[in-house]
Amino acid sequence: MNFLRFAVRRLAEMAAALLGASFVIFGAMYLAPGNPASFLLAGRSASPEALRAINAQYHFDEPFVVQYVRWLGQVVQGDFGRSITYRTDVSRLLADRLPSTLLLISMALVLVLALGLLLGWIGAVRGGAADSTILVTTTFAIGTPSFVAAVLLQGLFAVNLHWFPTGGTGEGPARMLWHLTLPAVALALYLIGMLARVTRAAMLDVLGQEHVTVARSRGVSDHRVIRRHVFRNALGTVLTTSGLIVSTLLVTTVLVESAFSVGGIGQLLELSTTTKDFPTVQAISLIMVALFMTVNLVVDLLHPLVDPRVALGPRRPAA
């Protein structure tokens, strides 16, 4: 029952935060210089009657609050409006481009979790030269931003060695995986280093605790101690970091998709921002915020299950 109340409260908090975010997203676009009507005219002069017709068609002539309530009501029904740039429904644009972005993020997440946890585990358990090598490697990874990694990988493996395509998504599942390999590596490189460092530090902290020493003194094998006592107790910290990793992937995918010309929502967001395509920018921004909040919600719900020491209650301020 405590967990159920905790879950309901977190869901209510997420709904309230998402409502506030929707208001900020909708309003922020109207604070930007220029207006979408001028873009629709493409620099051409227009009569006052034509300008009024454009404003009426897209409801630009209505009060701000009325526009927001109308937009929010449509969003709740899955209607994000009509793209000003592409002259089609935003929902259709998202449906065409979202799979590429989700596949790219999923591939990058698999790389981050697999390599980050493995390197962190080896560094904490083995120590010595293996740990030193991992520290140097992860330092390089953390110091390489995603857009820099994208340029380096593209130049080496696509342009010089011709092992991978320079961009695009390809046709069919196999070719999509091939086309998205380099973007996924570029997206994951920094986060692999971060997760490896966090996993190593968390496991080393647990290794120095008394219950680990007691378990070893009782003759429990090192493998069982590491698996059941060390890694399991460090998993809470790793889980929290994983939530941050997914959130970071949602943000940095815009840069990587642009570098590799991946036709996902990240590249669509960049193009739509440049052309002041209000409905598309608002829809993508709201979806990213919703995904970000959902990831944090899942982490909060899983944390007490992974680590029973976590209290199911409101966060208390530090003393």
Side-chain angles (χ1 to χ4, degrees):
M1 290 301 296
N2 287 338
F3 181 80
L4 181 60
R5 286 195 296 268
F6 173 72
V8 171
R9 184 175 68 250
R10 288 293 291 114
L11 283 170
E13 292 173 354
M14 175 182 168
L18 190 57
L19 180 63
S22 69
F23 183 83
V24 173
I25 289 171
F26 186 83
M29 291 301 301
Y30 287 86
L31 297 178
N35 59 79
S38 61
F39 171 75
L40 287 170
L41 294 172
R44 302 187 303 269
S45 59
S47 64
E49 292 78 10
L51 190 58
R52 281 196 297 269
I54 292 175
N55 287 328
Q57 179 182 355
Y58 289 93
H59 306 287
F60 297 144
D61 56 347
E62 295 179 350
F64 171 78
V65 176
V66 175
Q67 293 185 52
Y68 169 70
V69 173
R70 179 194 299 275
W71 173 76
L72 185 61
Q74 292 174 340
V75 167
V76 171
Q77 300 175 39
D79 181 8
F80 292 99
R82 189 172 179 82
S83 169
I84 296 174
T85 305
Y86 297 94
R87 305 292 201 277
T88 187
D89 291 339
V90 176
S91 300
R92 179 176 298 178
L93 286 176
L94 297 179
D96 292 339
R97 294 172 178 259
L98 191 58
S100 299
T101 297
L102 292 179
L103 179 58
L104 174 59
I105 292 177
S106 299
M107 292 174 63
L109 183 60
V110 169
L111 290 174
V112 172
L113 294 178
L115 296 179
L117 293 177
L118 178 62
L119 292 175
W121 179 303
I122 293 175
V125 174
R126 294 288 182 84
D131 187 29
S132 300
T133 303
I134 289 174
L135 285 176
V136 172
T137 304
T138 53
T139 299
F140 171 77
I142 293 174
T144 307
S146 296
F147 66 90
V148 175
V151 173
L152 294 176
L153 292 172
Q154 194 174 44
L156 177 60
F157 293 104
V159 176
N160 292 332
L161 298 177
H162 304 288
W163 289 358
F164 296 93
T166 56
T169 55
E171 297 292 337
R175 293 191 65 85
M176 283 188 68
L177 291 174
W178 184 45
H179 277 73
L180 294 179
T181 298
L182 285 185
V185 173
L187 196 58
L189 186 62
Y190 160 78
L191 297 171
I192 290 173
M194 184 178 73
L195 182 59
R197 286 294 188 93
V198 170
T199 303
R200 173 185 177 275
M203 292 184 66
L204 286 176
D205 180 63
V206 178
L207 276 169
Q209 294 179 6
E210 184 178 354
H211 71 277
V212 175
T213 304
V214 172
R216 283 176 167 171
S217 67
R218 291 179 176 178
V220 180
S221 65
D222 284 346
H223 178 73
R224 188 173 182 182
V225 167
I226 296 298
R227 180 171 54 87
R228 298 196 59 180
H229 296 276
V230 177
F231 184 72
R232 185 173 181 179
N233 286 321
L235 198 55
T237 303
V238 173
L239 179 62
T240 303
T241 306
S242 299
L244 176 62
I245 285 173
V246 176
S247 303
T248 304
L249 288 175
L250 293 173
V251 176
T252 53
T253 186
V254 177
L255 300 174
V256 174
E257 284 188 7
S258 299
F260 286 93
S261 300
V262 177
I265 61 173
Q267 187 182 35
L268 179 63
L269 176 61
E270 180 192 20
L271 297 174
S272 300
T273 303
T274 303
T275 57
K276 295 189 69 64
D277 190 347
F278 283 18
T280 305
V281 173
Q282 290 165 345
I284 296 176
S285 300
L286 186 62
I287 288 175
M288 285 190 168
V289 169
L291 290 174
F292 177 84
M293 292 183 179
T294 301
V295 169
N296 287 330
L297 175 64
V298 171
V299 170
D300 284 348
L301 295 180
L302 288 179
H303 206 167
L305 301 178
V306 171
D307 189 351
R309 296 170 298 179
V310 176
L312 294 176
R315 296 184 178 89
R316 296 180 180 178

